[in-house]
Amino acid sequence: EVQLGLLPGGGGTQRLPKLIGIANALDMMLTGRQLKPKQAKKLGLVDEVTPQANLVKAAYELVNKIRAGKFSRQKSSLTTAALMRWALEDNKWGRQILFQQARKKLLAKTLGNYPAPEYIIDCVEAGAELGEAVGYAKEAELFGELVKSAEAKQLIGLFFASTELKKESGIAEKDFAQLAELKPVSSVGVLGGGLMGAGIAYVSIEKANIPVRLKDRDADGVLHGLKYSHNIYDKRLKKGYISLSQKAEKMSMLTGTTDYSGFAQVDIVIEAVFEDLQLKQQMLREVEKIGRADIIFATNTSSIPISEIAKASQHPETVIGLHYFSPVDKMPLLEIIKTPKTSAEVVARSVAFGKKQGKTVIVVNDGPGFYTSRILAPYMNEAGHIVAEGVAIDKIDSALKKYGFPIGPITLLDEVGIDVGTKIAPILESAFGERMAPPASFSKLIDAGRKGKKNKKGFYVYPANGKGPKVVDESVYKDLGIQAHNNMDAVEIAERCVLQMVNEAARCLEEGILNNARDGDIGAVFGLGFPAFLGGPFHYCDSQGIQVIVDKLKHFETIHGSRFTPAKILLEKIEQNQGFFE
Ligand SMILES: NC(=O)c1ccc[n+]([C@@H]2O[C@H](COP(=O)([O-])OP(=O)(O)OC[C@H]3O[C@@H](n4cnc5c(N)ncnc54)[C@H](O)[C@@H]3O)[C@@H](O)[C@H]2O)c1
């Protein structure tokens, strides 16, 4: 419920705390976190856990026990957790501390952007302090408010959009009907065992249950690629979620190589080598030489047009973009990019494969930066321009976090790598001109050896022990030749950045990079962390009013120039008195 902007309105806010304790119940209800069976048993949420094969038998036995009056629910024993619970939850003062802490922790996370979790705490508190009847009444009242809220409307909209996407094949229905059969991808080759390659290999064996052959140029690269999965399984083993044999079984699906041995029979190769056109084309030629004629060649490039890479191909109908997001095992989006030459069959097989990897898949058309990188670039650039104007770095980051992004743009740049940013920027600038130009002074950062978190030298300080509060590396202002100030309103900072993203998203729809506004919203929210409660760039336009968006763009245009010129499609929508959805 909380993920839809609602609360557990069927009595959940009153009954769950009674069953598993207030703190445990709040944790579940405020996050929407799901439990493993063992955890659910430990918490007392379920009475028994049994292997699936034994389910019906166990159920009969339990029912018979209840009928015979021999069943009693196990109370948690004298564990530290139970004592803590008793100390905190069984007396008024303890509970007061607990609710206070829960509110504080919650607000630090949501910054007040999500009303539902706040209301959940209110309901639980009402029940605990004033009794069940008051609790139920409160729950009904607040549920009613949430159902009507703008936040719930957007979150529910996103839920329906992603559910719809799960049912789509990624190609037109008539094309799908024409396909004789959709041969599922049953073996994968991954090129590059770096950050992305390792993550792609992991979701392929773990979620899709498909064997992976991973190639890197050297043994270290292969080792990195294998170790990534190994470490994840090791953690899960230690926590008791999987057995040693389950880990061994999964790891046996992932093998490494420094040559192309084992690649002759794979159905799809996903390359995740360095962002370099020549290198990617070389990979393509090598794969086509060694692989089957119908092998799918997928590239995980973040900015190079797929058609450019496909120029090196003998079979351009088999070349496609599979753009994953970092960290691959956590980020829900897969952006699939088709070129005018990619066959419908290759698109449909790739979409089916992406879904098996557990991804929400959008299919977009080819162009520099496709959709997500293209709208991220001007957003990041704008944050850069604001830095260049002297606004304090932490002020910019906190302005966008307050607006609803999970992390600020400057922190993001440090995470992704300032050097990576400077590789992608020229590609987009040469394609779209001045409006995509990063601030000129940013080249000084590279001259000063600032790459970001990876070399512990970026906008923020990265202490060797990785501890301590996050602080800006003040010397960066000197490198940029500026004096930091705080003289810009947080909303102005956020709107400048967000409007850049929104305007570019509109252009992507106008130019047919996006097939529809829905995919644009899903891509921005699931891939880039656009605030979910705002629904994505297109729902944001509709809810704010396109006229309001255009007025703001024009206002910034008069101050900062043509990079804020509104997209044509926005003006057309106003003329036609239409929104993107309604
Ligand atoms: N890092 C991200 O957040 C992100 C997100 C989406 C897409 N991408 C894209 O994914 C690709 C890989 O990025 P990354 O961050 O994983 O880079 P990385 O530097 O971590 O990994 C690249 C790997 O490719 C290997 N490699 C280089 N040449 C090779 C060759 N000839 N044969 C086999 N392996 C070779 C390297 O040894 C290295 O292990 C890039 O195109 C990047 O733009 C990155």
Side-chain angles (χ1 to χ4, degrees):
E1 290 86 352
V2 76
Q3 289 171 354
L4 300 177
L6 303 174
L7 54 78
T13 65
Q14 305 305 305
R15 290 186 289 140
L16 190 62
K18 288 213 178 87
L19 197 59
I20 64 173
I22 295 174
N24 290 332
L26 282 180
D27 180 50
M28 284 187 76
M29 289 191 285
L30 296 182
T31 59
R33 193 163 67 87
Q34 307 207 350
L35 300 177
K36 307 258 182 239
K38 267 190 186 169
Q39 290 173 304
K41 171 95 185 344
K42 204 168 152 195
L43 283 182
L45 184 65
V46 299
D47 292 311
E48 205 168 315
V49 174
T50 179
Q52 200 170 355
N54 191 45
L55 180 64
V56 175
K57 189 166 167 264
Y60 272 117
E61 278 171 15
L62 196 63
V63 169
N64 283 333
K65 243 189 189 171
I66 296 169
R67 283 172 57 180
K70 287 189 186 145
F71 172 78
S72 66
R73 183 157 283 151
Q74 267 184 346
K75 282 263 177 257
S76 46
S77 49
L78 272 181
T79 56
T80 332
L83 283 172
M84 279 279 289
R85 187 172 150 184
W86 173 79
L88 273 178
E89 299 185 11
D90 286 358
N91 72 82
K92 192 172 168 47
W93 308 117
R95 284 196 300 272
Q96 212 170 30
I97 296 173
L98 197 151
F99 287 121
Q100 244 171 26
Q101 289 298 324
R103 285 203 175 88
K104 202 168 134 195
K105 225 170 106 186
L106 176 73
L107 284 176
K109 227 163 110 190
T110 66
L111 303 174
N113 285 323
Y114 291 85
E118 290 179 46
Y119 283 9
I120 289 173
I121 301 181
D122 292 347
C123 293
V124 176
E125 190 172 27
E129 302 309 332
L130 306 169
E132 203 176 81
V134 179
Y136 280 123
K138 187 94 188 159
E139 184 186 281
E141 177 201 332
L142 295 185
F143 185 82
E145 270 188 41
L146 286 177
V147 163
K148 293 181 299 185
S149 70
E151 291 84 359
K153 186 177 165 212
Q154 301 298 3
L155 293 170
I156 292 170
L158 282 167
F159 172 76
F160 280 129
S162 66
T163 310
E164 228 172 72
L165 275 168
K166 285 195 183 106
K167 293 184 205 139
E168 292 180 5
S169 64
I171 59 174
E173 248 170 68
K174 66 171 179 30
D175 294 339
F176 193 73
Q178 271 171 16
L179 294 180
E181 58 162 342
L182 200 63
K183 199 172 144 255
V185 165
S186 59
S187 54
V188 184
V190 173
L191 297 176
L195 181 70
M196 297 306 288
I200 296 165
Y202 170 74
V203 293
S204 302
I205 58 168
E206 169 59 21
K207 297 273 170 67
N209 214 20
I210 295 176
V212 174
R213 186 78 170 155
L214 183 139
K215 173 187 182 296
D216 202 295
R217 56 183 174 162
D218 52 33
D220 279 352
V222 175
L223 192 66
H224 180 272
L226 300 186
K227 227 177 140 198
Y228 186 88
S229 287
H230 172 87
N231 287 349
I232 298 181
Y233 286 123
D234 233 22
K235 259 195 209 150
R236 299 180 57 195
L237 179 66
K238 279 193 190 119
K239 284 191 173 164
Y241 296 160
I242 54 168
S243 66
L244 194 59
S245 68
Q246 280 169 323
K247 178 190 162 191
E249 191 189 326
K250 282 294 183 189
M251 282 308 291
S252 72
M253 295 170 76
L254 174 58
T255 59
T257 174
T258 50
D259 56 27
Y260 279 103
S261 63
F263 272 68
Q265 288 309 318
V266 297
D267 290 330
I268 188 171
V269 166
I270 306 167
E271 74 74 17
V273 298
F274 304 132
E275 188 76 345
D276 175 327
L277 175 61
Q278 267 76 40
L279 180 62
K280 289 186 189 291
Q281 287 186 330
Q282 182 198 328
M283 298 293 100
L284 171 58
R285 286 192 203 98
E286 288 174 4
V287 166
E288 288 194 349
K289 212 180 277 169
I290 195 106
R292 292 200 321 242
D294 66 344
I295 192 169
I296 300 175
F297 183 87
T299 166
N300 182 47
T301 173
S302 22
S303 57
I304 307 170
I306 313 302
S307 310
E308 283 295 311
I309 299 170
K311 278 185 185 157
S313 171
Q314 305 282 330
H315 309 285
E317 71 280 4
T318 61
V319 181
I320 195 162
L322 259 60
H323 184 204
Y324 293 85
F325 294 77
S326 169
V328 182
D329 54 311
K330 301 226 165 66
M331 294 295 282
L333 187 73
L334 171 61
E335 180 183 30
I336 291 192
I337 305 114
K338 65 174 167 51
T339 76
K341 291 187 178 158
T342 313
S343 75
E345 184 182 349
V346 165
V347 175
R349 289 179 72 196
S350 303
V351 169
F353 170 60
K355 285 194 222 166
K356 270 184 105 174
Q357 289 174 321
K359 300 295 170 198
T360 300
V361 183
I362 60 168
V363 179
V364 305
N365 292 301
D366 193 25
F370 345 111
Y371 173 61
T372 51
S373 301
R374 179 168 161 186
I375 67 167
L376 182 64
Y379 163 87
M380 301 283 274
N381 281 346
E382 197 56 35
H385 288 302
I386 300 173
V387 173
E389 287 167 34
V391 177
I393 283 160
D394 42 352
K395 169 136 197 186
I396 301 171
D397 274 348
S398 68
L400 280 133
K401 277 184 76 176
K402 174 71 192 108
Y403 213 74
F405 283 82
I407 60 172
I410 309 296
T411 303
L412 182 61
L413 194 50
D414 258 3
E415 293 278 335
V416 173
I418 301 169
D419 56 330
V420 174
T422 53
K423 270 195 191 147
I424 295 175
I427 298 176
L428 297 177
E429 190 183 345
S430 72
F432 301 110
E434 210 188 326
R435 76 165 195 270
M436 288 273 190
S441 60
F442 268 40
S443 61
K444 293 182 195 159
L445 296 172
I446 296 297
D447 299 342
R450 288 185 193 273
K451 291 188 180 175
K453 195 174 175 182
K454 66 173 91 164
N455 74 343
K456 299 196 181 333
K457 200 162 183 243
F459 293 97
Y460 288 91
V461 177
Y462 297 98
N465 63 5
K467 289 186 180 146
K470 204 169 144 203
V471 284
V472 173
D473 178 355
E474 297 285 331
S475 64
V476 74
Y477 295 123
K478 201 163 148 246
D479 284 349
L480 286 168
I482 50 178
Q483 281 221 312
H485 64 77
N486 272 318
N487 306 332
M488 196 183 285
D489 178 56
V491 174
E492 180 178 343
I493 296 173
E495 286 192 340
R496 273 177 65 178
C497 298
V498 170
L499 286 172
Q500 281 289 350
M501 187 181 268
V502 168
N503 201 26
E504 200 59 35
R507 284 202 184 93
C508 287
L509 186 62
E510 181 183 307
E511 293 170 21
I513 295 289
L514 285 172
N515 293 314
N516 53 56
R518 176 203 65 186
D519 294 356
D521 279 349
I522 289 282
V525 174
F526 287 18
L528 305 177
F530 190 96
F533 70 94
L534 298 175
F538 295 97
H539 269 104
Y540 177 75
C541 283
D542 276 6
S543 63
Q544 299 273 310
I546 299 182
Q547 184 68 58
V548 174
I549 299 285
V550 166
D551 289 346
K552 284 185 181 167
L553 283 166
K554 283 187 174 161
H555 164 73
F556 288 132
E557 186 185 13
T558 56
I559 305 169
H560 304 289
S562 61
R563 67 176 189 268
F564 278 101
T565 306
K568 248 191 355 236
I569 194 171
L570 294 173
L571 305 175
E572 284 164 14
K573 290 279 175 200
I574 294 175
E575 221 173 81
Q576 294 155 2
N577 198 18
Q578 272 183 352
F580 285 106
F581 295 92
E582 286 150 18

